[in-house]
């Protein structure tokens, strides 16, 4: 969330243009915007690596990097309670709005 927010001073408008709720939408974005063939990727494991809250997703990898692999019980809760939960909710609302407009 920190990196996505840094794109436009925590407005998350930029991030909402390339964040998606469904893997089908991610694949369509890769094909249509970046002109890449997604048929060469078997399964969905690659795409799941870029989901924010998936197990072993972006947030978990960020926390491991941030805490230098010294993750402690409550690290995720601490991250959310520092205000990042509000940023996540804002991003989800904007993604829904962009999805509705497409």
């Amino acid at each position: 969330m920190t990196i996505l927010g840094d794109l436009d001073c925590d407005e998350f408008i930029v991030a909402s243009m390339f964040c998606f709720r469904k893997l089908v939408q991610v694949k369509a974005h890769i094909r249509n915007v970046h002109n890449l063939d997604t048929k060469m990727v078997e399964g969905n494991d690659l795409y799941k690596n870029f989901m924010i809250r998936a197990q072993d997703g972006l947030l978990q990898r960020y926390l491991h990097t941030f805490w230098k692999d010294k993750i402690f019980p409550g690290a995720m809760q601490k991250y959310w309670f520092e205000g990042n939960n509000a940023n996540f909710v804002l991003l989800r609302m904007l993604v829904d709005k962009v999805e509705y407009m497409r």
Side-chain angles (χ1 to χ4, degrees):
M1 296 307 302
T2 304
I3 294 166
L4 293 174
D6 282 347
L7 295 171
D8 58 4
C9 299
D10 287 337
E11 295 289 323
F12 293 97
I13 294 169
V14 173
S16 70
M17 299 297 165
F18 62 84
C19 290
F20 306 94
R21 292 177 60 127
K22 299 177 183 172
L23 291 177
V24 170
Q25 295 166 321
V26 173
K27 292 176 183 181
H29 171 81
I30 291 170
R31 281 192 305 270
N32 300 333
V33 175
H34 301 285
N35 296 318
L36 297 173
D37 185 8
T38 58
K39 293 177 186 171
M40 298 176 72
V41 178
E42 293 184 23
N44 291 321
D45 290 342
L46 174 66
Y47 303 110
K48 289 180 181 178
N49 284 336
F50 296 98
M51 294 177 69
I52 293 172
R53 293 193 65 187
Q55 186 177 16
D56 295 331
L58 289 174
L59 184 53
Q60 286 77 4
R61 289 196 313 268
Y62 171 79
L63 289 174
H64 278 278
T65 301
F66 182 78
W67 293 108
K68 311 253 187 278
D69 289 324
K70 295 178 183 172
I71 282 291
F72 55 91
M76 178 76 73
Q77 184 178 22
K78 178 176 172 39
Y79 178 81
W80 285 120
F81 287 166
E82 289 175 345
N84 294 297
N85 59 336
N87 291 339
F88 179 74
V89 171
L90 174 61
L91 177 59
R92 286 289 296 262
M93 287 175 33
L94 291 170
V95 167
D96 289 345
K97 181 179 179 181
V98 169
E99 187 176 306
Y100 177 76
M101 295 171 55
R102 285 189 178 130

